[in-house]
Amino acid sequence: MTGGPTLEEVVDGLPLVDHHVHGVLAGDVDAAAFELLLTESDRVGPPGVSPWDSQIGFAVRRWCAPVLGLEPHASPAAYLARRGDLGADAVNRMLLGASGVRRYLVDTGYRGDELHGVAGMREVSGCDVREIVRLEAVAEALASGGVGAAAFPERYREALDTATADAAGLKSIVAYRYGLDFDPEPPSRRDVVAAAGEWLRHVDGGAEPRVSEPVLLRALIWAGVERGLPLQFHVGFGDPDLDLRRCDPLHLNGFLRRTADRQVPILLLHNYPFHRNAGFLAATFPHVWFDVGLATMYAGARAAAVVAESLELAPFGKVLFSSDAWGLAELHHLGAVCWRRGMAKTLRSFVDDGECSEVDAVRVARAVGADNAMRVYFGR
Amino acid sequence: MTGGPTLEEVVDGLPLVDHHVHGVLAGDVDAAAFELLLTESDRVGPPGVSPWDSQIGFAVRRWCAPVLGLEPHASPAAYLARRGDLGADAVNRMLLGASGVRRYLVDTGYRGDELHGVAGMREVSGCDVREIVRLEAVAEALASGGVGAAAFPERYREALDTATADAAGLKSIVAYRYGLDFDPEPPSRRDVVAAAGEWLRHVDGGAEPRVSEPVLLRALIWAGVERGLPLQFHVGFGDPDLDLRRCDPLHLNGFLRRTADRQVPILLLHNYPFHRNAGFLAATFPHVWFDVGLATMYAGARAAAVVAESLELAPFGKVLFSSDAWGLAELHHLGAVCWRRGMAKTLRSFVDDGECSEVDAVRVARAVGADNAMRVYFGR
Amino acid sequence: MTGGPTLEEVVDGLPLVDHHVHGVLAGDVDAAAFELLLTESDRVGPPGVSPWDSQIGFAVRRWCAPVLGLEPHASPAAYLARRGDLGADAVNRMLLGASGVRRYLVDTGYRGDELHGVAGMREVSGCDVREIVRLEAVAEALASGGVGAAAFPERYREALDTATADAAGLKSIVAYRYGLDFDPEPPSRRDVVAAAGEWLRHVDGGAEPRVSEPVLLRALIWAGVERGLPLQFHVGFGDPDLDLRRCDPLHLNGFLRRTADRQVPILLLHNYPFHRNAGFLAATFPHVWFDVGLATMYAGARAAAVVAESLELAPFGKVLFSSDAWGLAELHHLGAVCWRRGMAKTLRSFVDDGECSEVDAVRVARAVGADNAMRVYFGR
């Protein structure tokens, strides 16, 4: 490859499409808040246990510190001091800028009011930003605004149309609200109206409008399928309020079988520790794609192992990049850095072992890092 | 090891016993058919997704192209053109010949009429070839030929005896037809006759004679156990018409417990992504062996990772080689190549790390590649 | 790091805390007994299959042989001859001494009468030794001694207090007796008394006092939670009398949720092949720790892969070292050796890849090898 860039150079410079991400926090955070934002857990650890002493903590010190002008492996205290001196806005711009992401598909449905939204992310990152709309958030807004049970199916479809007029895709968090082992058949209209009636009575009575009833969750999913936009599913690990047993993508088998001819791309997010199962599904079903987002950065120095395991059964056209970063620009940065390093190391091993050419390896990197997402979401 | 062959030389030259494989296609295939045969999926991918851009597609270009006289990493078009020029028969002979397999145990039960059978495989490969008989295929042939429900148990046993007079083993595809989570107890004769009655009424009424009723499937399995030949089970990933959740070998726990004293070797095929679970079972039950066939070649450049994970808990005497190739001689070739490369790389890392001697590593390779299968199937 | 010890030197010399281990056999064993003790299976393999030809068999020859004055990779016959010449007591002292473990937490509840107990282990190893008490063993001793059902809850609590007066922790083997998919709610007193009544009637009638009824098993677990000592759970692979499907730590989700605010450390033992799931739980729940004991030594040359997979999601403060050795001092030795080698190799790869500093890597090794256990069990 005389003269051309190496695999590593290509991967380092790849303008990434982060197809599943949240906004960054606009304001400053103190040390305790930073620690909590650094973990998917919702509690601080016991004495002697700190997220700083974890793969992602080490990765912040290794890869974010230099972006803020510190030495690699700077101490947590030094890092936080420097972050405070710079201020959140500068830190956001530096870390997002250095990540080399060119396009974000932002899931605005989780505590989105605390974060930069689509416009804010556009401004702070200078990237193309499009929205991913959560099916459940649209239903909950509808319930809060007042709707009758009998009209719920139609009103939900209208609300979904409105909410997604400018969206790039949809997302279901049925994994959190129930589990992926939901009944794969579409619910009957009668059942949906009945379930909506019960739910809306509770909401009208002052309850939090949180959808968790499986008939309703299924109704939203099938309305999403009808809507025709790419449909993401949370799969595998995430916040503590899920039962990981029920987040194995293999539970989706029946649903994927029933939607295989619908021309709706299904995107399985995260998947760890079930990412090989997701690879099987992506290899089996033409309309299924997957990523190992979130896990890549939480695995830190082990990102290459996770990435490599995602490059087994599935065609390379079926694997995507995402960070699933939320709040801290460090996470947005590390999502990209850990993926780049993991991908470059994995592909380099293939080339060094004589299993594939460097030209092909570069092509795989471009596909996973950007091209596959552009094709699935934007048809190009 | 002055003078002796290296580990790599031994592994490269090992005359393999492929204990689970299907025949090759006698005739030529066009580009579209080749792509479909290259994947376990039953459909062509969406735009931008091709089996050529997958581990196995890369492996064809890397390892089969040179056998046909092309450069490594030849383009798909060049490969198919060359394949067409040579013709299927020459390609079959070249790829099978170069694979270094010396003995095939051929599962003739899946679309066997489209492929070279036992005699054809013997002729085209020059290898020793023996048959593995599918339990379900024998039952379905019996039903097609006409049989009464009351006599079904005896007639099935007779048919099985006849079908296996010259066979090396049996195979159950209960994983496809129901799941490995079948009731581990043998069904009662009364239940079998009742289930057979219902099934045979449908067959007599013109239905496809496909066994999928769990009582019947269990009856076939226990008849297989009585027959006393080595008994293979499809486990883990394969064609799209399985529910992978129900193909975890751990579901077999109760059945393995009940058959542990029957002197019938049970062979768990494929197992990916549950191969570590299979290793646990092989370590636990004296009568259980397993392989990582199919996955080895579909993982391509990642074959070493899969092979290495199969060499953890189980004694090395419990691990076998197979390809599970079907139709394309490329798959027969890659099954062997990917296993050899994965095995050599894994064992070399053990030796380089100072964990085992090269002499012992060579012994492990011989055991897994050939000796274990010879002992299980042929008692030598 | 001029002048300081390298990562490898630190890991090699680390005084380990083995937080889950059993005693060693005081007496000599013959070749057949040695083979059986070398495997978690309860039967000798079929012809051609020997535990000597497995990862752990290779590891004995590689790492224990030199401790007994033999060349690495000595033959099994030479090893056993040497072992016989030295005698069990000398072998125990040599292997335990060379292991570099400084503290054992001994589970005395499994065939403890065949082994050196706490005092014996103290004497033969020269280490600090503390006891871990099995919840089930205390209940079974109580039943054997005679107790009325109505008083069982109180009498069990008293017996547990007495049995644990000097203990470092508790252990539940509900994984063996029922499965980890037990009802996560504490059972009612009424249900416990009823279940105790039925059980005690059987015991009084001469039955083995083995607790396997789920209400009783849950009663013991919740009594353990009340007792407030660190509480270990067998998870994942082990002896053949478990159903591995039901030993996935993810089944504990509901129980962990209900105990998260109880200030009782929960320690998930072994976990293989579900160790990534355990890492998720340790990352999610502040009161959960885990190890990859037993698997580390049974994986032998593959120990680094298993160790590395345990260093992904969970903070490094949540991972512990254990051997789960039973009977053979070889296992106690290999538990330490395989962990040291796996840990050093894994951490070295992080440092070589530029992902963490050598200073941080050393800190992780100390934490996992000793410091975390000291904090959890001894508050320091």
Side-chain angles (χ1 to χ4, degrees):
Chain A
M1 305 244 304
T2 326
T6 64
L7 169 62
E8 285 75 10
E9 288 164 350
V10 172
V11 175
D12 269 4
L14 207 57
L16 298 174
V17 178
D18 189 344
H19 88 112
H20 174 57
V21 66
H22 305 266
V24 293
L25 287 160
D28 291 314
V29 291
D30 64 16
F34 189 91
E35 285 201 26
L36 266 180
L37 287 162
L38 209 53
T39 163
E40 283 289 301
S41 185
D42 53 359
R43 309 168 188 231
V44 178
V49 178
S50 159
W52 282 108
D53 284 333
S54 69
Q55 291 286 5
I56 198 158
F58 281 17
V60 168
R61 293 168 47 213
R62 173 61 188 93
W63 300 112
C64 299
V67 176
L68 305 192
L70 299 167
E71 290 296 307
H73 315 304
S75 74
Y79 187 84
L80 290 171
R82 177 77 180 154
R83 196 183 206 281
D85 289 347
L86 290 164
D89 192 59
V91 167
N92 286 342
R93 287 171 198 274
M94 292 164 87
L95 288 168
L96 296 184
S99 73
V101 173
R102 76 158 171 203
R103 188 182 288 264
Y104 290 109
L105 302 190
V106 176
D107 171 2
T108 51
Y110 182 61
R111 298 166 56 192
D113 48 334
E114 304 172 33
L115 305 174
H116 273 307
V118 169
M121 280 299 284
R122 228 171 247 147
E123 202 281 318
V124 77
S125 72
C127 291
D128 290 320
V129 181
R130 291 286 293 281
E131 190 178 11
I132 301 291
V133 171
R134 282 202 188 187
L135 295 170
E136 294 81 4
V138 173
E140 290 162 2
L142 186 62
S144 298
V147 59
F152 180 78
E154 288 70 34
R155 294 289 307 283
Y156 181 70
R157 273 198 289 277
E158 292 162 18
L160 196 59
D161 284 351
T162 307
T164 58
D166 203 37
L170 296 167
K171 180 177 172 194
S172 163
I173 55 162
V174 67
Y176 281 107
R177 297 296 176 83
Y178 177 79
L180 297 177
D181 50 343
F182 58 87
D183 179 345
E185 294 291 342
S188 71
R189 184 189 163 83
R190 174 192 300 249
D191 287 350
V192 174
V193 169
E198 186 148 355
W199 177 50
L200 294 168
R201 262 193 304 282
H202 280 91
V203 175
D204 291 346
E208 186 82 27
R210 195 174 185 273
V211 202
S212 60
E213 207 283 321
V215 167
L216 284 177
L217 291 164
R218 289 160 55 212
L220 310 190
I221 290 168
W222 284 99
V225 170
E226 295 291 336
R227 180 63 184 85
L229 287 170
L231 177 53
Q232 304 176 341
F233 278 85
H234 177 96
V235 182
F237 103 103
D239 302 330
D241 62 325
L242 53 71
D243 181 347
L244 193 57
R245 262 181 311 185
R246 300 177 64 186
C247 298
D248 184 333
L250 296 183
H251 291 303
L252 291 172
N253 181 66
F255 175 76
L256 297 176
R257 209 166 285 280
R258 278 162 188 79
T259 52
D261 296 316
R262 301 295 289 257
Q263 312 299 330
V264 175
I266 306 282
L267 300 112
L268 309 177
L269 307 177
H270 323 316
N271 295 293
Y272 182 98
F274 309 115
H275 41 294
R276 280 173 158 169
N277 299 0
F280 164 78
L281 295 172
T284 298
F285 292 102
H287 66 315
V288 174
W289 282 255
F290 79 111
D291 70 39
V292 285
L294 198 58
T296 327
M297 67 181 167
Y298 275 100
R302 290 278 302 160
V306 176
V307 165
E309 287 167 356
S310 75
L311 299 177
E312 292 174 354
L313 291 197
F316 304 125
K318 290 301 202 75
V319 191
L320 271 67
F321 159 73
S322 85
S323 68
D324 193 24
W326 191 98
L328 290 183
E330 280 80 358
L331 303 181
H332 296 73
H333 189 70
L334 290 177
V337 167
C338 293
W339 180 85
R340 288 185 203 275
R341 293 183 56 78
M343 197 72 179
K345 186 176 175 183
T346 300
L347 293 172
R348 172 55 65 198
S349 77
F350 297 169
V351 174
D352 283 352
D353 289 349
E355 303 284 354
C356 84
S357 71
E358 187 144 353
V359 170
D360 283 327
V362 162
R363 208 155 47 85
V364 171
R366 288 190 203 282
V368 177
D371 297 352
N372 294 340
M374 291 307 290
R375 193 176 296 107
V376 172
Y377 290 97
F378 305 108
R380 50 181 146 121
Chain B
M1 305 244 304
T2 326
T6 64
L7 169 62
E8 285 74 12
E9 288 164 351
V10 172
V11 175
D12 269 4
L14 208 56
L16 297 175
V17 178
D18 189 343
H19 88 112
H20 174 56
V21 66
H22 305 266
V24 293
L25 288 161
D28 290 315
V29 291
D30 64 15
F34 190 91
E35 284 201 26
L36 266 180
L37 287 162
L38 209 53
T39 162
E40 283 289 301
S41 186
D42 53 358
R43 309 168 188 232
V44 178
V49 178
S50 159
W52 281 109
D53 283 335
S54 70
Q55 291 287 5
I56 199 158
F58 280 18
V60 168
R61 293 167 49 214
R62 173 61 186 91
W63 301 112
C64 299
V67 176
L68 305 192
L70 299 167
E71 289 296 307
H73 314 303
S75 74
Y79 186 84
L80 289 171
R82 176 77 180 154
R83 196 183 205 281
D85 289 347
L86 290 164
D89 192 59
V91 168
N92 286 342
R93 288 171 197 276
M94 292 164 87
L95 287 169
L96 295 183
S99 74
V101 173
R102 75 156 172 205
R103 187 181 290 264
Y104 289 109
L105 302 190
V106 176
D107 172 1
T108 52
Y110 182 62
R111 298 167 55 193
D113 48 334
E114 303 173 34
L115 304 173
H116 273 308
V118 170
M121 281 298 285
R122 227 172 247 147
E123 201 281 317
V124 77
S125 71
C127 291
D128 291 319
V129 181
R130 291 287 293 280
E131 191 178 9
I132 301 290
V133 171
R134 281 201 189 188
L135 295 170
E136 294 81 5
V138 172
E140 291 162 1
L142 185 62
S144 297
V147 60
F152 181 79
E154 288 70 33
R155 294 288 308 283
Y156 181 70
R157 270 199 290 277
E158 293 161 18
L160 196 59
D161 284 350
T162 306
T164 57
D166 203 37
L170 297 167
K171 180 178 172 194
S172 163
I173 55 162
V174 67
Y176 280 105
R177 297 297 176 82
Y178 177 78
L180 297 178
D181 51 344
F182 59 87
D183 180 344
E185 293 292 342
S188 72
R189 184 189 163 82
R190 175 191 299 249
D191 287 351
V192 174
V193 169
E198 187 148 355
W199 178 50
L200 295 167
R201 263 193 304 281
H202 280 90
V203 175
D204 292 346
E208 185 82 27
R210 195 174 185 274
V211 201
S212 59
E213 207 284 322
V215 167
L216 285 177
L217 291 164
R218 288 160 55 212
L220 310 190
I221 291 168
W222 284 99
V225 171
E226 295 291 337
R227 179 64 184 84
L229 287 170
L231 176 54
Q232 304 176 341
F233 279 84
H234 177 96
V235 182
F237 103 104
D239 303 329
D241 61 325
L242 53 72
D243 181 347
L244 192 56
R245 263 182 309 186
R246 299 177 65 184
C247 298
D248 185 332
L250 296 183
H251 291 302
L252 291 172
N253 181 66
F255 176 75
L256 296 177
R257 209 167 284 281
R258 278 162 187 78
T259 52
D261 296 316
R262 301 295 289 257
Q263 312 299 331
V264 175
I266 305 284
L267 300 112
L268 310 177
L269 307 177
H270 321 316
N271 295 293
Y272 182 98
F274 309 115
H275 42 294
R276 280 174 159 169
N277 298 1
F280 164 78
L281 295 172
T284 297
F285 292 103
H287 66 317
V288 174
W289 282 256
F290 79 111
D291 69 39
V292 284
L294 197 59
T296 327
M297 67 180 167
Y298 275 100
R302 290 278 302 160
V306 176
V307 165
E309 287 167 356
S310 75
L311 299 176
E312 293 174 353
L313 291 197
F316 304 125
K318 291 301 202 75
V319 191
L320 271 68
F321 158 72
S322 85
S323 68
D324 193 24
W326 191 98
L328 290 183
E330 279 81 359
L331 302 181
H332 296 73
H333 188 69
L334 290 177
V337 168
C338 293
W339 180 86
R340 287 184 204 276
R341 293 183 57 78
M343 196 72 179
K345 187 176 174 183
T346 300
L347 293 173
R348 172 55 65 199
S349 77
F350 296 169
V351 174
D352 283 353
D353 289 350
E355 303 284 355
C356 83
S357 70
E358 187 144 353
V359 170
D360 283 326
V362 162
R363 208 154 48 83
V364 171
R366 288 190 203 280
V368 177
D371 297 352
N372 294 340
M374 291 307 289
R375 191 176 297 108
V376 172
Y377 290 96
F378 304 109
R380 47 181 148 125
Chain C
M1 306 243 304
T2 326
T6 63
L7 168 62
E8 285 75 9
E9 287 164 352
V10 172
V11 175
D12 270 3
L14 208 55
L16 298 174
V17 178
D18 189 343
H19 88 111
H20 174 58
V21 66
H22 306 266
V24 293
L25 287 160
D28 291 315
V29 292
D30 64 15
F34 190 91
E35 284 201 27
L36 266 180
L37 287 162
L38 208 53
T39 163
E40 283 289 301
S41 186
D42 52 359
R43 309 165 189 233
V44 179
V49 178
S50 159
W52 281 108
D53 283 334
S54 70
Q55 291 287 5
I56 199 158
F58 281 17
V60 168
R61 293 167 48 213
R62 173 62 188 92
W63 301 111
C64 300
V67 176
L68 305 193
L70 299 167
E71 290 296 307
H73 315 304
S75 74
Y79 187 84
L80 289 171
R82 176 76 181 155
R83 197 183 204 281
D85 290 346
L86 289 164
D89 192 59
V91 167
N92 286 341
R93 287 171 198 275
M94 292 164 87
L95 288 168
L96 296 183
S99 74
V101 173
R102 76 155 173 205
R103 188 181 289 265
Y104 289 110
L105 303 189
V106 176
D107 171 2
T108 51
Y110 182 60
R111 297 166 57 192
D113 47 334
E114 304 173 33
L115 305 173
H116 273 307
V118 170
M121 280 299 284
R122 228 171 246 147
E123 202 281 318
V124 77
S125 72
C127 292
D128 291 320
V129 181
R130 291 287 293 280
E131 190 178 10
I132 301 289
V133 171
R134 282 202 188 187
L135 295 170
E136 294 82 4
V138 172
E140 290 162 1
L142 186 61
S144 298
V147 60
F152 180 79
E154 288 71 33
R155 294 289 307 283
Y156 181 70
R157 272 198 289 277
E158 293 161 17
L160 196 59
D161 284 349
T162 307
T164 58
D166 204 38
L170 296 167
K171 180 178 172 194
S172 163
I173 55 162
V174 68
Y176 280 106
R177 297 296 176 83
Y178 177 79
L180 297 177
D181 50 343
F182 59 87
D183 180 344
E185 294 292 343
S188 71
R189 185 190 163 82
R190 175 192 299 248
D191 287 351
V192 174
V193 169
E198 187 149 353
W199 177 50
L200 294 167
R201 263 193 304 282
H202 281 91
V203 175
D204 291 346
E208 185 82 25
R210 195 174 184 274
V211 201
S212 60
E213 207 284 321
V215 167
L216 284 178
L217 291 164
R218 288 160 57 211
L220 309 191
I221 290 168
W222 284 99
V225 170
E226 294 291 337
R227 179 63 185 84
L229 287 170
L231 177 54
Q232 305 176 341
F233 279 84
H234 177 96
V235 182
F237 102 104
D239 303 328
D241 61 325
L242 53 71
D243 181 348
L244 193 56
R245 264 182 310 185
R246 300 177 65 185
C247 297
D248 185 332
L250 296 182
H251 291 303
L252 290 172
N253 181 66
F255 176 75
L256 296 177
R257 209 166 285 280
R258 278 163 187 78
T259 53
D261 296 317
R262 301 295 289 257
Q263 313 300 330
V264 175
I266 306 283
L267 300 112
L268 310 177
L269 306 177
H270 322 316
N271 296 292
Y272 183 98
F274 309 115
H275 41 294
R276 280 174 160 169
N277 298 1
F280 165 77
L281 295 173
T284 298
F285 292 102
H287 66 317
V288 174
W289 282 255
F290 79 112
D291 69 41
V292 284
L294 197 58
T296 327
M297 66 180 168
Y298 275 100
R302 290 278 301 160
V306 176
V307 165
E309 287 167 356
S310 75
L311 298 177
E312 293 175 352
L313 291 198
F316 304 125
K318 290 300 202 75
V319 191
L320 272 68
F321 158 72
S322 84
S323 68
D324 193 24
W326 192 97
L328 291 183
E330 279 81 358
L331 303 181
H332 296 73
H333 189 70
L334 290 176
V337 168
C338 293
W339 180 86
R340 287 185 205 275
R341 292 183 58 78
M343 196 73 179
K345 186 176 175 183
T346 301
L347 293 173
R348 171 56 64 199
S349 78
F350 297 169
V351 174
D352 283 353
D353 289 349
E355 303 284 354
C356 84
S357 70
E358 187 145 351
V359 170
D360 283 327
V362 162
R363 208 155 47 84
V364 171
R366 288 190 203 281
V368 177
D371 297 353
N372 294 340
M374 291 307 290
R375 193 177 296 107
V376 172
Y377 289 97
F378 305 108
R380 48 180 150 124

